[in-house]
Amino acid sequence: LRLLMLGDSITAGYGLARAEGPPARIQALLRERGRNVRVIDAGVSGDTTAGGRARIEWALADRPHAAIVALGGNDGLRGLPPSQMRTNLTAILDVLARRSIPTLLAGMLPPPNLGAEYGRDFVGVFEGLARDRPELIFYPFLLDGVAGEPRLNQPDRIHPTAEGATLIAQRMLPFIETLLDRVRVSAAG
């Protein structure tokens, strides 16, 4: 099975060796559990939801059977309007739905310095998409258990260490396995 992970620098494993980033760790954990899955790393450092939207068709060139959409962090860091983020994520999810690709949406939290209203609206985008699209697998916070933990983050306090990336993979694993259970692969693959 081919699992696409569309994301930003967290997905790309910024500051880590390729084998240490979340896609490689997810792939290794799935294989340890007897699942023959290749995780396609479609992470681009600095990418926003608009960037992901612009490259979704390109990212599908490897014909994935399932997808993880892990974007939004840079939208928050740049203070971009949550309404714009929702439009972009909706477009990405629409492309995946048209191709009948089961999808996991990984949520993100905004920086606290943007205020409570921005924070509510930002989180509301992910929660609203999950509510409006019951077919999605929703993982509320990509950095759950890692954000704010100094030993699990690089000195920039944004990007996970190898240990942090492993924890991300471990925490997401049950959600990813549920996602993979929804895949229907033809004999042609």
Side-chain angles (χ1 to χ4, degrees):
L1 288 179
R2 294 179 297 277
L3 172 60
L4 173 71
M5 189 166 184
L6 181 71
D8 52 30
S9 57
I10 305 299
T11 299
Y14 176 86
L16 302 175
R18 187 166 197 76
E20 296 174 332
R25 299 307 309 139
I26 290 167
Q27 179 174 294
L29 289 173
L30 288 168
R31 289 188 176 181
E32 285 172 16
R33 295 177 70 92
R35 291 186 182 254
N36 185 15
V37 176
R38 179 169 66 94
V39 180
I40 302 162
D41 180 349
V44 173
S45 292
D47 221 357
T48 61
T49 56
R53 179 181 182 179
R55 63 188 177 84
I56 183 62
E57 293 290 347
W58 166 84
L60 294 173
D62 284 328
R63 297 183 24 226
H65 298 100
I68 298 170
V69 177
L71 289 162
N74 289 312
D75 293 66
L77 289 173
R78 295 177 189 180
L80 299 175
S83 60
Q84 176 183 317
M85 185 173 72
R86 182 178 177 92
T87 298
N88 292 326
L89 287 171
T90 296
I92 292 167
L93 296 173
D94 286 348
V95 168
L96 294 167
R98 278 194 302 274
R99 295 189 184 208
S100 300
I101 297 173
T103 302
L104 182 153
L105 176 64
M108 185 53 69
L109 297 177
N113 64 318
L114 296 174
E117 182 180 347
Y118 184 90
R120 274 191 310 275
D121 292 347
F122 188 94
V123 170
V125 167
F126 295 100
E127 292 172 348
L129 288 168
R131 185 178 54 251
D132 296 346
R133 294 173 179 254
E135 74 279 5
L136 284 177
I137 304 288
F138 181 48
Y139 186 73
F141 183 38
L142 179 65
L143 299 174
D144 183 42
V146 175
E149 294 294 330
R151 70 180 180 78
L152 298 176
N153 286 280
Q154 297 176 43
D156 64 12
R157 299 185 331 195
I158 295 173
H159 297 97
T161 61
E163 184 181 358
T166 297
L167 184 59
I168 289 169
Q170 290 169 338
R171 287 191 174 217
M172 290 183 78
L173 193 62
F175 295 83
I176 294 169
E177 289 193 303
T178 298
L179 173 70
L180 295 175
D181 288 343
R182 295 184 177 183
V183 172
R184 302 285 176 254
V185 182
S186 67

